[in-house]
Amino acid sequence: MKYRDEYRTADAARGYADAIARITTRPWTLMEVCGGQTHAIVRFGIDQLLPDTISLIHGPGCPVCVTPIAYIDKALEIAGLPGVILCTFGDMLRVPGTHSDLSAARARGADVRVVYSPLEALTVARENPGHEVVFFAVGFETTAPANAMAVYQAERAGLENFSVLVSQVLVPPAIRALLERPGNQVQGFLAAGHVCTITGYEAYEPIALEHGVPIVVTGFEPLDILEGVYRCVRQLERGESCVENQYSRAVRRPGNAMARHVMQAVFQVVPRQWRGMGGIPESGLGVSPAYRSFDAEARFGTVNGEAEAQGECLSGAVLRGEIRPDQCPAFGTRCTPERPLGVTMVSEEGACAAYYRYRRPVGDQASD
């Protein structure tokens, strides 16, 4: 398959790994902030190809995983109201709130529907004029244009029974927050290529300059990631810190102008709580005043609370890159995809789910 198979060749991968080893003279710690990259690293054993002096750690790159508990609780509250249809992507169904999740709410009789696009939620609103239809808008910058377009089209069509519960987050402020955490060990970042197809990478440039860290916009195939690591290590070895674009087949510095325009028209930048990270200034998107009538928080009350998960689950430490999933005592025993303790085991993009699928002992996998 074009743009896939040629980025998975074993000989080229070994060539990149050898090149990285040749230029590395001291230990370096890099972080990817993308669930797709995390899964590729674990699935293809990319970290195991690298010299022992290069550490790849996984950051808060799963948008489902960083959605705060308070928003899950609000979605549950809204779904439980009479006359309400809550539309959501399927990967949100089992994300735990304080006491329950949307899958359990649906089992109890709430009208929770899985959709594959926010525009599908608009169709639900047209077909159910006697119901309030709420779309749970979650994601990084990648999903924001489509979610914004749904609000824009609802306004043009006069769909007064449609609204969005928005928990959109922005990646650059999270990278800045990680760098400013006490004890930070990360010396370079692989930025998510799909995010940068929308936003471009101008917002990363002041972070690289101010914090003295290289940031490489990187794709998702094995050779993409290995080249991203090579570029990042090369900068570190040279004492450089700038933004490079490895994923040039899809990303341009300004991003997608049309997508950015609809985002900026419908949404505004707001502070946001991140699960596992706490509050980060200017790290989220909320509905702008011009479209406030389509804001579910304006109709059903604002999201309150900053609760974090309690108990045995260490997903917060996983999201911050402080531990690997397999360093959690509950991993693979008391916490599995069938009986997850935390969100990083629930989501398809979660680091714990990746390790469970690809890094468990062979005997454990055979017993599935």
Side-chain angles (χ1 to χ4, degrees):
M1 182 181 292
K2 189 171 176 60
Y3 297 126
R4 191 193 73 174
D5 293 347
E6 65 266 43
Y7 290 93
R8 295 186 177 183
T9 59
D11 288 344
R14 282 191 288 268
Y16 267 120
D18 290 343
I20 292 166
R22 283 195 300 271
I23 66 171
T24 303
T25 64
R26 53 168 289 187
W28 300 109
T29 299
L30 313 181
M31 174 182 279
E32 88 278 355
V33 190
C34 168
Q37 290 173 352
T38 300
H39 274 251
I41 289 166
V42 178
R43 176 185 178 187
F44 294 104
I46 294 170
D47 52 337
Q48 297 170 345
L49 289 175
L50 300 175
D52 292 341
T53 48
I54 303 297
S55 297
L56 284 182
I57 60 178
H58 317 304
C62 165
V64 171
C65 301
V66 302
T67 301
I69 290 175
Y71 274 86
I72 305 300
D73 289 344
K74 190 65 182 183
L76 287 163
E77 176 191 326
I78 292 171
L81 297 174
V84 170
I85 300 171
L86 184 82
C87 296
T88 182
F89 295 137
D91 54 2
M92 296 303 298
L93 285 180
R94 298 179 64 222
V95 176
T98 302
H99 301 295
S100 186
D101 58 37
L102 289 170
S103 180
R106 185 165 66 171
R108 293 192 297 268
D111 195 344
V112 177
R113 304 188 188 184
V114 173
V115 296
Y116 297 93
S117 161
L119 300 182
E120 190 178 338
L122 286 182
T123 300
V124 174
R126 291 190 188 96
E127 294 174 350
N128 295 272
H131 290 73
E132 287 283 338
V133 175
V134 180
F135 176 67
F136 195 5
V138 170
F140 290 145
E141 295 92 330
T142 322
T143 61
N147 293 341
M149 181 56 70
V151 175
Y152 175 78
Q153 291 195 7
E155 194 272 338
R156 287 177 62 87
L159 283 175
E160 297 181 357
N161 66 324
F162 178 80
S163 62
V164 288
L165 178 63
V166 180
S167 185
Q168 299 274 172
V169 291
L170 304 174
V171 174
I175 290 179
R176 188 183 292 276
L178 285 165
L179 289 167
E180 293 173 354
R181 287 185 70 86
N184 166 63
Q185 300 295 316
V186 181
Q187 296 160 299
F189 286 89
L190 305 184
H194 64 316
V195 168
C196 294
T197 61
I198 302 298
T199 64
Y201 51 87
E202 293 168 295
Y204 296 85
E205 292 172 344
I207 300 174
L209 180 65
E210 293 167 18
H211 290 275
V213 295
I215 300 174
V216 180
V217 178
T218 305
F220 312 94
E221 295 298 335
L223 297 190
D224 287 325
I225 295 168
L226 284 165
E227 183 182 354
V229 171
Y230 176 84
R231 289 179 179 227
C232 208
V233 171
R234 183 175 61 184
Q235 282 196 52
L236 288 166
E237 290 285 342
R238 292 175 175 176
E240 298 172 352
S241 55
C242 65
V243 178
E244 288 189 52
N245 180 18
Q246 181 278 329
Y247 202 39
S248 58
R249 66 184 183 273
V251 173
R252 300 293 178 269
R253 183 172 180 269
N256 184 315
M258 293 183 66
R260 294 180 68 175
H261 175 75
V262 70
M263 285 171 56
Q264 291 163 3
V266 173
F267 294 136
Q268 62 181 348
V269 176
V270 297
R272 179 71 75 214
Q273 289 287 131
W274 290 53
R275 193 186 294 234
M277 295 277 291
I280 304 176
E282 299 183 339
S283 68
L285 295 174
V287 179
S288 69
Y291 291 88
R292 180 170 171 75
S293 61
F294 295 95
D295 187 349
E297 292 192 62
R299 298 189 186 190
F300 300 100
T302 57
V303 174
N304 294 310
E306 301 178 0
E308 289 282 353
Q310 301 295 321
E312 190 176 12
C313 178
L314 299 180
S315 59
V318 172
L319 288 166
R320 294 188 297 272
E322 295 172 358
I323 63 168
R324 294 192 316 270
D326 57 2
Q327 292 174 318
C328 173
F331 174 79
T333 55
R334 295 179 298 282
C335 181
T336 67
E338 293 74 29
R339 299 179 66 85
L341 292 177
V343 66
T344 48
M345 186 64 88
V346 173
S347 173
E348 285 294 321
E349 292 193 352
C352 295
Y355 272 69
Y356 186 85
R357 183 171 183 179
Y358 300 117
R359 290 284 170 91
R360 282 181 300 149
V362 173
D364 291 347
Q365 296 184 36
S367 66
D368 286 353

